[in-house]
């Protein structure tokens, strides 16, 4: 069975997912695309055989030719499309964030529970990275004993050119670690704090870069995340978990070969997230296609999107206030119990 | 367009390719399978929807439902099926070796030239490994200057349980390096020698393991390949090229994470070639499907299969005689010039 | 000229320094030893030819046979002996801490300034480690641009068996990083905070282990130090400085060789500080002997001992209060300007 | 007891040993120096207090002020001075080679046996390197099982500016590996071969660089040594031993820190043998001073110097003839049995 996918949002991410489903993955076909910029939707549809343009997301979702929906529009529109897909009973893959407010996430969860079936997957692709999966396996196998703390770094060469804010360093960047640690440790974050190291003179106007984000897990595990979006030298994602009997850390990425030349031994640092996480993006969407075909739900869902939003809000409050801020989280419904 | 593939040989490798085309890759579908063991073919066809059983390879090749042929039978049958596919004008992917004798390879080349179109790809999947591709890029970009020599190691945990011979250490194992170095350096091997280090007491009866295979390139570049099929500790593939101004080497494989525990810092060594080269196998077959769909030929072809066979024969003679043995190679036809 | 050294304190550290001066270093000889346990002093003197026992530290310092004094007694006695050495006009090497209170450190500085010559070196041996020196060289050469933050980890296999406290994790362990970062960045720490991750069940009764110590430098550089004295797996000292254009980090220590065996690639993690810092201890004391012979002062001195004590006090207050705590530091006298 | 050392040869190596004994090591003092260039000897003696000039090596050896002799003159003079020291009953440390011919080595062994006491240590300093000692420990502890083969590389940035020959690549460079493997494996080399890879265009006139030297141990262990004295990028010494159950390899040297900058992760490659083996040179000479003081003999001796000379001669013959060449070695006298 081929899953017929409709894509909402034909920007860079949407196009990349179309390429992925069409040229890389198995079991899916993109049949429809829509975008607020109709010309862009036309141009994308022209580039890919078999892809029709739909005038609106609503119509795309309703179309009988579409089995499942991929939402890659800008964040504020996510809620509307995800709710519409749920209403239509169609599986929906939504790029992060699930929605831009906690309330919107709650409305999505309510709708999904009312529908009685898990239909939503959120684009937290790092869970599909072989490195993070090996971290989790080591944790789960007891390789390092009970976990106590974790050190993370999330470094980009430079922030997006326009309008990136200190808040976006949390909502767009640190949100990956926020989801990951809840998945890795199997528990929620209960409080957050933000520390401000010396500001880089390379940081864009108005941006306090780097930051340290502190995340306290329910068990007491303490996670520190360096978020540095003007790191200049490359895209570098680090993670080390310290347990009672040992540690486990992500290996350095990007070094297919080692060169010795001119007095140095060197290897490549990835340039950006595409370079670093290409395989994880592929694995994520393949898993979604497989789950859709099997009428199952295996990836991060609405609850995870909601929990990430709640922690993000706590971090933003901590940034404003300069204080440690508790996370307030609705009780986890049985519907979203871990093993679906 | 979906490439409809018929698979000849439903053993481990054939089944793995069926899984790959069906569940992992884009643009292909397995429609037919055949095997000398009819029951095995039936059982495989039952496991995969849409796959029909053909009584013989000949019939599979002739079938109108089959666009392209994948040969994964045992080596001595390769020639017959590849020739039949050429005769039928159908693209054929043939697992290494292309054929078991130089003469058979020459017959295949003659048939392909007579047909006037490159139809054959040989399963030298290591060319698709990201590590080897980075080695080649470093060479081609002049990162290390003119290459002078290369050190390789090819280590397996243990030899196949039955009937693996010292000759197979060359024809089945070292043949990968034989093809690779001709591709990496863009030139042929002109002579070979075999050295016999101390024999491992773990080696199977009759097996002289390990060996050192020496390959002399036309330019004088000297390649030493340690072939050690009873290496016990893991599957380990090493390669370092030494040039006039520097060196470039494959990084260690398999270490997604690093563990510190009990006085040691450690990472995983791959268990076998599946573990090490999974992505290369995927990339190889995707490239073939893409090439078939585009009526192009991009991978290693008949000439490469022939050249590998000729060097293998030289190595086997060197093994018998204990002497340095020249490689005698037909002149490379224009038809097989590098840029097709 | 051979520097004739008198050693006060014949415990493990004192004995190790005697061995070092006698068997490893150049230009020094131990001529006298004293200890509160007279029998221990006798036994040590018997073990080393040419070493006489002195009944008290005072007499040892006064002895005409002693050119320079090494204080390796317990901390509360440091002040008395260092002051006596200054009064006698003799160079003195004092194991950390310089003294157990800030006031005592101030008294030592006052005495040394009154004497008019720098006579005191404090045993912050990590400044002599090749790794830290390479970190400092990279900083000073601008390899990573302006520094912004630093991540450290200080892990021991297990705490000393008796009476080690959470306070000692700062005063005995983190004090190394406290001195180091002031030396590395060439500026003082202005505030500190303590974070408490989940407590290891392996930690001794009453010990909150691990801790995170946060150190804010005058420039805004933020340093986080994980202190974990029950880390079980080995002695592991990590440090990474993040600058505006890159990072520099201590390499992993202890791996003279890499072993591949049983599916893993592994190397040794040091067992303890002797294993890790043997060369730094040697370099430190050789530097001191050279400085004494040259009537110079090159190592960390009284000011550094005082500054470390002041920051330690700030950390202890932060531990008690749970709050960020400023460091209050006397203005640095001209006498202790950086280039003596 | 201070060992009073007389140094014959005041060139770069001799001066470095004087510095080492005077400023770095314990238990020795240089009291006399001589050189064929009297002015150089004067100038060196002036630079170091307490060092007298002797007009000739013979007189230096005979001097009552000299306890032990260090020979750092050019190779052809080694035999004369070593024999004279033996005759005088004084311990002698002789830089490699022990002598420039096998016959001269045999004369030294005969004289030493006649004298009835081991007096000679040869400057094979790599045995004192922590990396090689860890290799040997791993071998001896059975970490990798029975050894089968070894891969070595010996790379210099560039050959000495004048008169370095292809023969010197063996006699001056590979001789280190020749001694090492006999020490590591505890057995002799029985045959050698030389392979000639493509010649580097950077190699000096008349120099065939690089070479591969093949060494066959008595047990069948096969060692390949890449000798490349124009390697340009740095001084790089590699060694990996392959055993029946695993491998052990020297770690990369020189990387005290890792820098991430401009898209690369890099560390330092040593510039030359001083940079790489400084600690081994120190340990070697300290061991000699200790042995002299204890009237013992612990380091590589006359037999090792002779065995290295015999293998070197075999390699030089193999280079000339292009053929595998047996090593002919006198039977090892009881006097030179391994445990003295």
């Amino acid at each position: 069975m081929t899953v017929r996918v409709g894509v909402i949002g034909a920007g860079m991410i949407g196009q990349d997912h179309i390429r992925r489903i069409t040229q890389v993955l198995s079991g899916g076909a993109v049949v429809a695309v829509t975008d607020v910029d109709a010309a862009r939707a036309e141009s994308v549809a022209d580039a890919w055989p078999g892809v029709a343009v739909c005038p609106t997301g609503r119509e795309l979702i309703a179309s009988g030719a579409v089995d499942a929906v991929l939402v890659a529009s800008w964040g504020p529109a996510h809620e509307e499309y995800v709710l519409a897909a749920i209403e239509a009973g169609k599986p929906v893959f939504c790029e992060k964030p699930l929605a831009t407010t906690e309330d919107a996430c709650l409305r999505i969860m309510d709708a999904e529970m009312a529908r009685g079936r898990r239909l939503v997957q959120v684009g937290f692709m790092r869970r599909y990275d072989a490195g993070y999966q090996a971290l989790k396996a080591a944790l789960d196998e007891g390789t390092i004993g009970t976990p106590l703390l974790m050190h993370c770094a999330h470094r980009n060469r430079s922030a997006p050119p326009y309008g990136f804010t200190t808040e976006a360093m949390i909502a767009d960047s640190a949100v990956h670690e926020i989801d990951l640690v809840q998945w890795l440790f199997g528990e929620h974050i209960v409080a957050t704090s933000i520390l401000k190291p010396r500001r880089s003179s390379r940081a864009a106007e108005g941006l306090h870069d780097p930051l340290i984000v502190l995340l306290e897990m329910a068990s007491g595990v303490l996670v520190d995340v360096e978020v540095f979006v003007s790191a200049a030298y490359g895209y570098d994602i680090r993670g080390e978990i310290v347990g009672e009997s040992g540690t486990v850390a992500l290996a350095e990425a990007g070094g297919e070969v080692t060169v010795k030349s001119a007095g140095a031994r060197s290897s490549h640092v990835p340039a950006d997230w595409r370079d670093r996480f290409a395989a994880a993006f592929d694995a994520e969407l393949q898993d979604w296609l497989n789950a859709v075909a099997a009428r199952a739900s295996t990836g991060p869902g609405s609850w995870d999107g909601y929990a990430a939003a709640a922690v993000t809000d706590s971090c933003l409050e901590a940034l404003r206030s300069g204080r440690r801020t508790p996370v307030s989280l609705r009780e986890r419904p049985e519907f979203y119990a871990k093993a679906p």
Side-chain angles (χ1 to χ4, degrees), chain A:
Chain A
M1 173 215 166
T2 295
V3 175
R4 298 169 303 164
V5 179
V7 174
I8 300 175
M12 192 184 63
I13 304 256
Q15 290 182 43
D16 199 47
H17 281 309
I18 294 172
R19 176 196 61 76
R20 183 169 289 115
I21 293 171
T22 308
Q23 293 191 330
V24 179
L25 305 180
S26 172
V30 178
V31 296
V33 67
T34 187
D35 197 277
V36 289
D37 176 348
R40 185 159 69 174
E42 286 293 346
S43 134
V44 167
D46 285 352
W48 297 101
V51 180
V53 174
C54 273
T56 66
R58 292 268 172 189
E59 286 167 87
L60 180 143
I61 292 166
S63 163
V66 166
D67 300 322
V69 179
L70 191 157
V71 178
S73 62
W74 75 318
H78 287 188
E79 179 188 7
E80 175 191 351
Y81 297 129
V82 171
L83 286 173
I86 291 170
E87 197 181 341
K90 294 190 179 177
V92 54
F93 178 96
C94 181
E95 269 305 328
K96 71 169 180 74
L98 174 57
T100 49
T101 67
E102 282 183 56
D103 278 352
C105 292
L106 289 171
R107 285 191 291 270
I108 289 170
M109 285 166 53
D110 287 339
E112 198 177 24
M113 286 191 281
R115 184 81 203 184
R117 183 182 153 212
R118 287 207 199 177
L119 290 163
V120 181
Q121 178 163 340
V122 182
F124 289 128
M125 92 292 174
R126 284 210 207 159
R127 296 191 186 190
Y128 293 90
D129 174 62
Y132 282 111
Q133 294 197 334
L135 275 192
K136 184 156 177 57
L139 265 184
D140 292 351
E141 289 158 13
T143 307
I144 63 165
T146 305
L148 304 173
L149 53 86
M150 181 174 188
H151 306 296
C152 302
H154 182 141
R155 298 177 191 147
N156 295 66
R157 280 190 301 179
S158 56
Y162 301 109
F164 202 80
T165 60
T166 309
E167 286 73 22
M169 291 174 60
I170 292 164
D172 286 6
S173 300
V175 69
H176 282 291
E177 277 80 9
I178 287 170
D179 176 65
L180 273 172
V181 298
Q182 301 193 104
W183 169 72
L184 280 169
F185 298 116
E187 56 174 335
H188 291 116
I189 295 165
V190 297
T192 70
S193 315
I194 307 289
L195 305 175
K196 291 184 172 174
R198 187 183 203 173
R199 183 178 170 275
S200 172
S201 67
R202 290 172 181 255
E205 182 92 23
L207 203 61
H208 193 99
D209 190 29
L211 295 177
I212 302 283
V213 178
L214 296 173
L215 307 172
E216 303 174 32
M217 311 304 299
S219 65
V221 168
L222 179 64
V223 179
D224 51 82
V225 185
E226 176 204 322
V227 183
F228 187 14
V229 299
S230 321
Y233 73 88
Y235 182 74
D236 200 7
I237 301 298
R238 313 296 304 135
E240 180 190 28
I241 306 174
V242 180
E244 292 196 349
S245 63
T247 72
V248 60
L250 293 177
E252 298 284 350
E256 300 296 350
V257 293
T258 301
V259 169
K260 294 180 178 181
S261 179
R265 182 172 62 254
S266 66
S267 53
H268 170 69
V269 172
D272 56 28
W273 47 269
R274 279 177 224 82
D275 191 1
R276 170 68 179 82
F277 286 117
F281 277 102
D282 292 352
E284 170 196 52
L285 216 56
Q286 185 68 65
D287 185 59
W288 180 63
L289 292 174
N290 294 350
V292 169
R295 288 183 62 85
S297 165
T298 54
S302 302
W303 174 265
D304 304 294
Y306 159 69
V311 176
T312 298
D313 282 355
S314 162
C315 288
L316 293 175
E317 175 57 26
L319 177 67
R320 268 188 297 273
S321 68
R323 299 226 183 90
R324 175 179 182 278
T325 305
V327 174
S328 78
L329 208 64
R330 179 200 277 205
E331 202 182 344
R332 187 168 186 147
E334 184 59 31
F335 183 81
Y336 292 111
K338 271 164 229 173

